[in-house]
Amino acid sequence: MPCPFCNPAPEDIVVANDLCYARYDIHPVSPGHLLVIPFRHVASYFDTTDKERMALARLIDDCKATTDQKLHPDGYNIGVNVGEVAGQNVMHVHAHFIPRYRADTGQAGGGVRCVIPHRPG
């Protein structure tokens, strides 16, 4: 099965730089949920080059600028799942850029510390 993140269609690219691109997640957690993806096929964040990691970070900043202008979220979650046990479903590294809105949960708190069910934050 071909990698769904390799060879993106130009119309799917929201923002990009020389080494990475961002596209909307097809199963968004919230409006504006983007995936930030290196063009080079590499499975793990830990196998990316220094240049790719810097390009990912710069593109996350660009995603924020674009999202702030369009959607005005109240916060963000940014995360990378590495390995199947951590929830990585596509073995092409990608960072989740998830805008958060006050109405998301009905309560404050949570965040990435609460990704494991039944564990205190």
Side-chain angles (χ1 to χ4, degrees), residues 101-108:
Y101 305 89
R102 294 213 185 277
D104 281 352
T105 63
Q107 66 181 34

Side-chain angles (χ1 to χ4, degrees), residues 19-61:
L19 298 178
C20 303
Y21 73 97
R23 61 174 287 173
Y24 288 110
D25 192 304
I26 62 170
H27 302 290
V29 172
S30 67
H33 181 168
L34 290 162
L35 301 178
V36 184
I37 307 164
F39 284 109
R40 181 175 74 96
H41 184 88
V42 58
S44 171
Y45 173 84
F46 299 107
D47 294 330
T48 58
T49 66
D50 290 342
K51 287 182 179 182
E52 286 169 327
R53 277 184 244 122
M54 292 302 296
L56 282 164
R58 284 192 308 272
L59 200 58
I60 286 169
D61 289 344

Side-chain angles (χ1 to χ4, degrees), residues 1 3-5 25 27 43 80-94 96:
M1 179 176 203
C3 176
F5 295 160
D25 192 304
H27 302 290
V80 179
N81 301 322
V82 180
E84 188 176 324
V85 71
Q88 185 177 3
N89 295 317
V90 177
M91 295 305 150
H92 182 143
V93 65
H94 55 285
H96 289 265

